[in-house]
């Protein structure tokens, strides 16, 4: 749990203080190391009796010092273009290389370098035990749950996408069936392991492209999944239903997204009619909608119409988008303001269950809005504040509310995530019946360092494209270190 993590920090910093004290020219380092030890010790004391009710302290005060220091280090690099550019170039070289010597799972030196830095920042662990510890620690901090994903994925460059698109659809079926079965089986086993690690009320995120090149070819050509893949998907959905774990099918590159939408909508028709949690109708299967695409409002409107007509709960994970660097530019809104406006308009329509200028019904004659469960996945503070204001207004006026959670990626926007945890704890502590009790979730990816390199590269590029937000997190972490220092590292 959280306290055990802090105790490990205390041991490590005590060891560091002892080592520094032996050096003849280390008075300044010893001063700061001693303060770090005091910070951890005071936090351990403050959280010793976690079961005793107490008023929540500062939002970032829940984080172990080791997490704050690592986050400060990583965001310092990612918020400075002169440092981030060469770091991304190096990571891209590793992630896209076919050479075994550059595979972190075979190169122990490279693996150690990545694991101690960006892997530890953004990933949950390599083994089930490490992942279970990470999940336990996060829930001990006050998170309502986790979104857990397996790190294996395929990201195409433009040349690869064109090569696959140029193949005739009938050629897709001629791919080596032995290799196809092996890739599908590996994807299924990884997803089943992920489901075994998740608990009821958690989510598991997955990508169809993780099932291999044959699956990718079917997606590009608009074909249904192969027999092997279809059976694997059914087995995964059945297991998730039995465990009470919801499934988030991630959005991917434009070349495959329309087929992903069709596959996921078919799964929603099959599973979301009858699934329930705590005796309430819920969505088992969620699709992901990227607000930076101009086509998203129309796509979502058509899916809402299908849910309304056919009587199933639509599962919506709303994101801004993660393929700005690899998809054709004309598909997106002209600027970030356009994306922000689209995101907030869609979120408002879903939260209030009312169509509006940003999300119009596909049939102008029908304004009926179906039940839609929402994962509001964003690192944008303004979008979260707007959603919170809408939800608080609904609480105050006793209006019906949709099932909704807030999601941020592990290692990113901890200042926002911890604020949601803080607001949830404060609302419960004060017994405030006039505000929503938010449900914050962290999105965790697990797998070996080598399996997660493409995921880590996308995270690095996302930080580059959102440098101002990364600076906000860096400044928040620095302020927290300063707060603990200035207050004598008390937990007040």
């Amino acid at each position: 749990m959280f306290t055990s993590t802090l105790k490990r920090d205390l041991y490590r910093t005590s060891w560091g203080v002892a080592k520094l004290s032996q050096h003849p020219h280390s008075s300044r380092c010893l001063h700061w190391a001693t303060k770090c030890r005091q910070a951890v010790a005071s936090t351990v004391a403050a959280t010793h009796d976690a079961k005793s009710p107490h008023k929540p302290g500062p939002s970032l005060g829940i984080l172990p010092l080791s997490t704050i220091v690592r986050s400060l280090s990583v965001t310092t690099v990612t918020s400075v273009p002169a440092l981030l550019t060469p770091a991304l170039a190096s990571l891209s070289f590793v992630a896209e290389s076919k050479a075994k010597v550059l595979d972190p799972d075979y190169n122990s030196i490279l693996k150690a370098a990545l694991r101690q830095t960006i892997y530890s920042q953004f990933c949950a662990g390599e083994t089930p035990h490490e992942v279970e510890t990470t999940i336990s620690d996060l829930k001990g901090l006050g998170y309502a749950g986790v979104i857990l994903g397996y790190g294996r994925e395929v990201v195409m460059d433009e040349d690869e996408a064109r090569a696959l698109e140029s193949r005739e659809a009938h050629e897709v079926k001629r791919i080596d069936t032995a290799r196809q079965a092996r890739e599908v089986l590996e994807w299924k086993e990884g997803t089943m392991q992920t489901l075994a690690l998740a608990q009821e009320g958690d989510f598991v995120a997955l990508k169809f492209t993780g099932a291999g090149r044959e699956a990718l070819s079917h997606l590009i050509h608009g074909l249904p999944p192969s027999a092997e893949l279809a059976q694997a998907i059914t087995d995964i959905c059945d297991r998730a239903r039995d465990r009470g774990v919801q499934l988030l099918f991630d959005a991917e590159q434009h070349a495959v997204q329309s087929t992903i939408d069709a596959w996921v909508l078919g799964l929603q028709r099959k599973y979301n009619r009858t699934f329930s949690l705590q005796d309430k109708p819920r969505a088992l299967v969620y699709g992901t909608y990227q607000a930076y695409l101009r086509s998203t409002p129309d796509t979502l409107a058509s899916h809402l119409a299908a849910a309304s007509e056919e009587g199933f709960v639509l599962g919506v994970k709303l994101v801004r988008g993660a393929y700005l660097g690899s998809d054709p530019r004309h598909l997106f809104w002209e600027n970030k303001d356009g994306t922000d406006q689209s995101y907030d308009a869609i979120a408002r329509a879903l939260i209030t269950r009312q169509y509006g200028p940003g999300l119009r019904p596909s049939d102008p004659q029908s304004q009926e809005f179906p039940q839609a469960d929402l994962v509001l996945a964003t690192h944008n503070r303004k979008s979260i504040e707007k959603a919170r204001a809408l939800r608080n207004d609904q609480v105050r006026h006793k209006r019906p509310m949709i099932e909704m959670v807030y999601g941020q990626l592990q290692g990113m926007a901890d200042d926002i995530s911890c604020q949601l945890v803080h607001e949830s704890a404060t609302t419960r502590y004060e017994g405030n019946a006039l505000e929503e009790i938010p449900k914050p979730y962290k999105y965790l990816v697990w797998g070996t360092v080598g399996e997660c390199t493409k995921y880590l590269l996308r995270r690095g590029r996302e930080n580059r494209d959102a440098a101002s937000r990364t600076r906000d997190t860096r400044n928040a972490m620095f302020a927290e270190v300063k707060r603990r220092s200035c207050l004598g590292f008390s937990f007040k």
Side-chain angles (χ1 to χ4, degrees):
M1 296 297 290
F2 178 42
T3 303
S4 64
T5 302
L6 289 170
K7 288 180 178 177
R8 289 197 298 271
D9 289 337
L10 180 59
Y11 170 79
R12 291 167 181 165
T13 50
S14 297
W15 179 86
V17 170
K19 295 296 288 184
L20 285 170
S21 65
Q22 299 171 11
H23 197 283
H25 304 292
S26 60
S27 59
R28 188 173 182 181
C29 291
L30 180 61
H31 168 74
W32 283 105
T34 301
K35 283 198 169 187
C36 286
R37 183 188 185 283
Q38 293 170 346
V40 179
S42 64
T43 307
V44 170
T47 58
H48 178 69
D49 187 6
K51 294 182 180 179
S52 298
H54 61 277
K55 187 174 182 179
S59 57
L60 287 176
I62 65 175
L63 293 179
L65 184 64
S66 58
T67 299
I68 292 173
V69 171
R70 185 180 64 235
S71 184
L72 179 59
S73 301
V74 171
T75 53
T76 295
V77 172
T78 57
S79 62
V80 179
L83 297 175
L84 180 58
T85 300
L88 277 179
S90 300
L91 183 58
S92 177
F93 184 68
V94 171
E96 296 167 1
S97 174
K98 307 298 183 184
K100 211 166 194 179
V101 70
L102 291 177
D103 184 342
D105 291 339
Y106 289 92
N107 185 327
S108 58
I109 296 175
L110 182 58
K111 178 177 181 176
L114 290 172
R115 183 173 171 88
Q116 296 303 317
T117 51
I118 57 173
Y119 179 90
S120 294
Q121 178 72 4
F122 298 117
C123 299
E126 293 192 87
T127 67
H129 175 70
E130 291 176 355
V131 177
E132 287 170 346
T133 299
T134 300
I135 293 173
S136 177
D137 287 346
L138 283 169
K139 291 185 177 181
L141 295 178
Y143 284 93
V146 298
I147 302 168
L148 187 61
Y150 182 46
R152 182 182 177 184
E153 63 179 69
V154 175
V155 178
M156 299 176 291
D157 59 28
E158 291 185 10
D159 291 338
E160 289 176 311
R162 280 196 295 268
L164 282 171
E165 287 174 345
S166 66
R167 294 169 58 182
E168 295 295 332
H170 66 271
E171 293 179 348
V172 175
K173 299 178 182 179
R174 298 177 182 172
I175 294 178
D176 179 9
T177 55
R179 190 186 75 176
Q180 165 192 331
R182 183 179 66 253
E183 290 176 339
V184 171
L185 180 61
E186 290 172 353
W187 176 73
K188 175 184 172 181
E189 289 178 343
T191 304
M192 287 296 197
Q193 276 188 290
T194 307
L195 281 168
L197 293 167
Q199 301 170 354
E200 183 174 327
D202 289 337
F203 294 85
V204 162
L206 61 165
K207 291 178 176 290
F208 286 124
T209 56
R213 295 284 168 172
E214 191 267 350
L216 188 56
S217 295
H218 276 246
L219 289 167
I220 284 180
H221 289 89
L223 298 172
S226 66
E228 293 86 353
L229 181 55
Q231 186 59 55
I233 294 170
T234 296
D235 292 344
I236 288 168
C237 289
D238 288 348
R239 180 71 60 85
R241 178 194 58 205
D242 295 343
R243 289 185 55 79
V245 174
Q246 294 156 282
L247 297 173
L248 300 179
F249 285 90
D250 281 340
E252 304 197 46
Q253 289 167 276
H254 176 68
V256 298
Q257 189 57 51
S258 61
T259 312
I260 289 174
D261 288 342
W263 289 9
V264 173
L265 190 61
L267 293 172
Q268 297 209 48
R269 287 186 169 105
K270 179 178 179 180
Y271 288 97
N272 290 8
R273 280 192 177 92
T274 57
F275 181 69
S276 65
L277 280 176
Q278 299 177 348
D279 297 323
K280 295 180 181 178
R282 298 285 301 280
L284 174 69
V285 176
Y286 285 66
T288 299
Y289 300 84
Q290 302 181 99
Y292 69 178
L293 292 174
R294 293 174 178 270
S295 60
T296 291
D298 289 341
T299 300
L300 179 55
S302 68
H303 293 180
L304 287 165
S308 178
E309 293 169 5
E310 301 173 38
F312 63 88
V313 181
L314 190 71
V316 177
K317 175 188 170 190
L318 184 62
V319 302
R320 275 174 166 75
Y323 296 95
L324 189 63
S326 59
D327 279 343
R329 185 65 184 85
H330 70 273
L331 299 172
F332 311 127
W333 298 106
E334 293 181 1
N335 50 44
K336 185 178 181 299
D337 285 344
T339 297
D340 291 343
Q341 290 171 15
S342 179
Y343 188 96
D344 292 340
I346 292 171
R348 181 182 184 87
L350 292 168
I351 291 170
T352 60
R353 296 187 67 181
Q354 293 181 342
Y355 289 106
L359 182 64
R360 300 183 183 278
S362 57
D363 179 2
Q365 303 301 317
S366 174
Q367 295 289 328
E368 184 177 354
F369 209 101
Q371 180 180 341
D373 294 350
L374 175 63
V375 174
L376 193 76
T378 180
H379 299 150
N380 186 292
R381 186 179 295 276
K382 289 183 179 178
S383 291
I384 291 174
E385 289 173 348
K386 290 176 181 178
R388 291 275 287 129
L390 287 172
R391 301 276 285 180
N392 289 340
D393 183 70
Q394 289 174 329
V395 171
R396 285 191 291 270
H397 292 88
K398 295 182 170 54
R399 295 182 181 131
M401 299 174 68
I402 67 168
E403 184 64 32
M404 172 179 148
V405 306
Y406 300 84
Q408 288 85 43
L409 294 161
Q410 180 184 8
M412 296 177 69
D414 280 340
D415 50 323
I416 293 174
S417 300
C418 290
Q419 181 65 29
L420 287 168
V421 171
H422 178 267
E423 290 172 356
S424 177
T426 300
T427 303
R428 292 179 188 277
Y429 174 81
E430 295 177 349
N432 188 348
L434 299 179
E435 289 191 4
E436 170 204 27
I437 299 176
K439 296 179 180 179
Y441 277 61
K442 269 295 187 184
Y443 186 120
L444 315 175
V445 167
W446 78 285
T448 67
V449 177
E451 288 173 330
C452 292
T453 52
K454 286 185 173 62
Y455 170 81
L456 292 171
L457 180 60
R458 284 203 296 117
R459 294 286 74 82
R461 287 171 174 165
E462 186 173 342
N463 274 297
R464 177 193 61 194
D465 296 335
S468 61
R469 189 200 64 231
T470 306
R471 285 194 297 271
D472 289 344
T473 300
R474 178 199 64 189
N475 294 340
M477 293 299 170
F478 181 77
E480 175 61 17
V481 171
K482 184 177 179 181
R483 182 191 73 82
R484 295 189 188 191
S485 175
C486 292
L487 295 180
F489 294 96
S490 70
F491 201 67
K492 299 178 181 178

